[in-house]
Amino acid sequence: MALPYGLPQRCLQAVAACWLISYVLSFVTGGCSLVLFSYLAVVALPAVAIYSFMNVDPGTKAVLVTGCDSGFGHALALHLHDLGFVVFAGCLMKDKGADSVKQLDDAGKNTGRLITVQMNVTSDAEVAAAVETVRANLPPSIKGLWAVVNNAGFSTFGEMEWVPINVYEMVASINLFGLIRVTKGFLPLIREAQGRVVNVASMLGRTGAYGRSPYCATKFGVEAVSDCLRMEMKKFNVDVAVIEPGNFIAGTSLYNADVVKAQSKKMWDGMTDEIRNAYGQEYFDQKTELMLSYTTAGVSDISPVVNAMTDAVIRVNPRCRYQPMALYELFKISVATHLPEYVYDAMFL
């Protein structure tokens, strides 16, 4: 049997907490810190292990995942279905007959537990229709909706002066307001099940990055909305978890060379002569090449993200934040969030 997601990290955190508490108690009482640490660890480590193995029964739960046309959402929908959940897969391209949607439909034919739903998260009408589709197709034995995984997203790049305001609005309409729209629509069903909302943010919701302000702004917003919602939902026993993936561009369809080139051309053509002259073609082309290099960078295996999402859905007591990312990326956001800006700038710019 595979170890639960994050068990080693939880154990290390428990050990660190036991050491800190034993040190403080030994200082106050004059007792032996090693003895105190041993007593605390004997209690804490088994408790952490038991907690980590406490899962819900997938056969009694239904889940909605948005952005299932490709990437994380597509893989998660199939994985949750394999675990036994009833899965509603929100797909932007269902009405276009996309091959990826047909793959999901085929996977659910024999079980009836994987149902694709047309969903453009920027459309009030489509989200409202999706809510009614879920209500109509929930098995009688399942009460409410156990989880909504807000995975749908879009990204672009460019320095602030290069990116038209309507592009900022478009990215926000999907990544932030689309997430809010879906969450608001399904919260009554989530409250009924006392389930959870799982929001996909990014490491770029914790630290900015060159040329990514349209994307970063929305992911910082997702972090803030999620924190507020977590506080608001406690009275209903509803959990809110945030997934903060690192760089998995190579394993998703978020970016590819054709998309970067098309976005780059559209940006350059849309600039005023003053902005073009200020930055210059050579500098602009260098930054486009930098973004092109990102399309094959990072981790191609998206299973760490899918496993984190799964843990947030299946765990009785999910974590507030999951950070499936490389150690370098974890170190980078730790520096960004805990040290002065000049330290971050000196190390990473």
Side-chain angles (χ1 to χ4, degrees), residues 242-266:
V242 181
I243 314 294
E244 299 173 345
N247 183 2
F248 288 86
I249 292 175
T252 69
S253 59
L254 191 64
Y255 271 123
N256 59 51
D258 291 338
V259 170
V260 170
K261 290 175 182 177
Q263 290 180 351
S264 175
K265 183 179 186 306
K266 189 173 182 179

Side-chain angles (χ1 to χ4, degrees), residues 3-14 48 52:
L3 288 176
Y5 178 89
L7 179 59
Q9 182 182 1
R10 290 188 181 105
C11 288
L12 285 174
Q13 290 171 339
V48 168
S52 297

Side-chain angles (χ1 to χ4, degrees), residues 188-247:
L189 287 170
I190 294 292
R191 285 192 279 103
E192 182 181 353
Q194 294 187 339
R196 67 275 314 267
V197 177
V198 181
N199 291 333
V200 180
S202 168
M203 67 171 288
L204 297 185
R206 301 291 296 278
T207 179
Y210 164 82
R212 302 300 299 279
S213 62
Y215 185 74
C216 290
T218 63
K219 293 305 182 179
F220 270 82
V222 169
E223 296 277 359
V225 165
S226 300
D227 281 340
C228 295
L229 185 64
R230 187 184 72 252
M231 300 171 194
E232 296 163 2
M233 288 292 108
K234 280 189 178 295
K235 57 182 171 289
F236 297 111
N237 294 318
V238 169
D239 294 304
V240 178
V242 181
I243 314 294
E244 299 173 345
N247 183 2

Side-chain angles (χ1 to χ4, degrees), residues 46-336:
V48 168
I50 292 170
Y51 160 84
S52 297
F53 279 96
M54 292 173 61
N55 294 343
V56 301
D57 178 7
T60 64
K61 306 295 182 186
V63 180
L64 170 82
V65 184
T66 68
C68 292
D69 299 86
S70 62
F72 302 145
H74 189 270
L76 179 66
L78 292 172
H79 183 54
L80 293 179
H81 172 256
D82 289 343
L83 291 176
F85 286 95
V86 174
V87 180
F88 296 94
C91 299
L92 176 64
M93 303 300 289
K94 177 178 171 64
D95 59 353
K96 302 293 191 298
D99 290 340
S100 61
V101 180
K102 291 177 182 177
Q103 182 185 0
L104 295 174
D105 287 330
D106 290 342
K109 275 182 180 178
N110 294 330
T111 66
R113 289 187 292 99
L114 179 50
I115 302 166
T116 57
V117 182
Q118 173 61 35
M119 190 187 296
N120 179 344
V121 300
T122 68
S123 167
D124 289 334
E126 288 198 8
V127 172
V131 172
E132 294 309 311
T133 298
V134 170
R135 285 187 185 276
N137 288 277
L138 278 172
S141 60
I142 293 181
K143 179 182 178 182
L145 189 64
W146 176 247
V148 167
V149 182
N150 282 303
N151 167 74
F154 180 80
S155 185
T156 187
F157 74 99
E159 297 190 19
M160 182 177 288
E161 283 196 292
W162 304 352
V163 181
I165 192 66
N166 67 302
V167 173
Y168 277 92
E169 292 170 343
M170 184 267 289
V171 177
S173 73
I174 299 169
N175 294 359
L176 181 57
F177 296 114
L179 176 148
I180 294 170
R181 180 178 290 105
V182 170
T183 302
K184 285 173 67 68
F186 285 95
L187 268 179
L189 287 170
I190 294 292
R191 285 192 279 103
E192 182 181 353
Q194 294 187 339
R196 67 275 314 267
V197 177
V198 181
N199 291 333
V200 180
S202 168
M203 67 171 288
L204 297 185
R206 301 291 296 278
T207 179
Y210 164 82
R212 302 300 299 279
S213 62
Y215 185 74
C216 290
T218 63
K219 293 305 182 179
F220 270 82
V222 169
E223 296 277 359
V225 165
S226 300
D227 281 340
C228 295
L229 185 64
R230 187 184 72 252
M231 300 171 194
E232 296 163 2
M233 288 292 108
K234 280 189 178 295
K235 57 182 171 289
F236 297 111
N237 294 318
V238 169
D239 294 304
V240 178
V242 181
I243 314 294
E244 299 173 345
N247 183 2
F248 288 86
I249 292 175
T252 69
S253 59
L254 191 64
Y255 271 123
N256 59 51
D258 291 338
V259 170
V260 170
K261 290 175 182 177
Q263 290 180 351
S264 175
K265 183 179 186 306
K266 189 173 182 179
M267 271 194 298
W268 183 258
D269 292 345
M271 291 181 200
T272 64
D273 290 338
E274 193 278 329
I275 294 175
R276 286 199 200 97
N277 292 333
Y279 289 90
Q281 180 79 59
E282 182 179 357
Y283 177 82
F284 181 83
D285 289 344
Q286 287 175 355
K287 297 308 178 184
T288 298
E289 288 299 319
L290 179 64
M291 281 306 304
L292 282 169
S293 71
Y294 290 159
T295 61
T296 55
V299 181
S300 58
D301 177 14
I302 64 173
S303 62
V305 180
V306 174
N307 291 339
M309 291 172 161
T310 302
D311 191 84
V313 171
I314 202 171
R315 190 73 59 223
V316 171
N317 299 296
R319 301 165 70 173
C320 294
R321 276 180 169 78
Y322 293 80
Q323 296 176 321
M325 61 181 71
L327 286 176
Y328 167 78
E329 294 167 331
L330 188 60
F331 172 70
K332 189 174 182 180
I333 66 169
S334 297
V335 172

